[in-house]
Amino acid sequence: AQSVTQLDSHVSVSEGTPVLLRCNYSSSYSPSLFWYVQHPNKGLQLLLKYTSAATLVKGINGFEAEFKKSETSFHLTKPSAHMSDAAEYFCVAPLIRDAGKSTFGDGTTLTVKP
Amino acid sequence: NAGVTQTPKFRVLKTGQSMTLLCAQDMNHEYMYWYRQDPGMGLRLIHYSVGEGTTAKGEVPDGYNVSRLKKQNFLLGLESAAPSQTSVYFCASSPRGLQQPQHFGDGTRLSIL
């Protein structure tokens, strides 16, 4: 079955240091993959998406993610964390054999310390 | 630039009452979804629709009904509210296709007393 696993439920970094949020996927063939961000009391907002055009994907707010087929990973990174990055992040994969549905990771809460 | 609009934003109900949550999108999207989000449980799909006049069950459909009479609207109904349905409800929409992201509303916070 197609699934995504976010390896950390909580990540804490200091402002100005790099961010790494990890996501592994399982699928028999290259999927589409998305990262979303959810700020408090808001809906999910698309950060970036992978659609097989390029393995390194750049998103909004300085985030990027690299699709690595050999490692079945799609980790989210940012070189320098900002206080406004504190939020929950979700890795999401559309289900190939179930049109319209997606599988969501459990989310990673990012805390940014001053 | 309304996107996905959910009505109401907050609601408190008593056990056994009924209510309808409204979701409206102005992007002409084919697909629409209702999720609930509870602490420690991520997002769980309640019902979804792949087109006007069609609906399908998600992971947690019990106690909810939906209708999609118009392409731009997706209604979620609670016939007899229970405390276990206290949650934050999110509506989302997307165009057809695996490479299309979902667009989310800002949620409805529902408390059942």
Side-chain angles (χ1 to χ4, degrees), chain A:
Chain A
Q2 199 171 355
S3 67
V4 293
T5 302
Q6 292 184 241
L7 300 175
D8 308 290
S9 58
H10 292 89
V11 170
S12 180
V13 301
S14 296
E15 191 175 20
T17 64
V19 176
L20 170 64
L21 305 182
R22 299 182 295 166
C23 173
N24 286 354
Y25 71 92
S26 75
S27 175
S28 57
Y29 37 95
S30 298
S32 299
L33 288 164
F34 304 94
W35 275 102
Y36 290 84
V37 60
Q38 185 182 27
H39 292 280
N41 300 316
K42 288 290 189 180
L44 278 67
Q45 177 188 11
L46 181 68
L47 267 180
L48 50 81
K49 67 177 183 179
Y50 167 75
T51 57
S52 76
T55 56
L56 184 62
V57 182
K58 294 189 184 299
I60 62 172
N61 300 334
F63 283 93
E64 62 182 38
E66 186 171 8
F67 177 78
K68 292 186 177 180
K69 188 173 182 178
S70 60
E71 299 176 9
T72 61
S73 69
F74 189 55
H75 300 337
L76 182 70
T77 61
K78 183 173 181 178
S80 176
H82 191 273
M83 296 298 291
S84 61
D85 295 328
E88 188 156 20
Y89 293 79
F90 292 92
C91 183
V92 180
L95 294 178
I96 294 166
R97 291 192 173 88
D98 211 339
K101 294 171 71 175
S102 295
T103 182
F104 284 73
D106 289 336
T108 298
T109 300
L110 176 65
T111 300
V112 182
K113 297 175 289 186

Side-chain angles (χ1 to χ4, degrees), chain B residues 36-56:
Chain B
R36 60 177 289 172
Q37 186 175 34
D38 302 291
M41 304 199 67
L43 269 79
R44 292 183 291 171
L45 183 64
I46 304 171
H47 286 281
Y48 66 107
S49 167
V50 297
E52 181 179 317
T54 72
T55 63

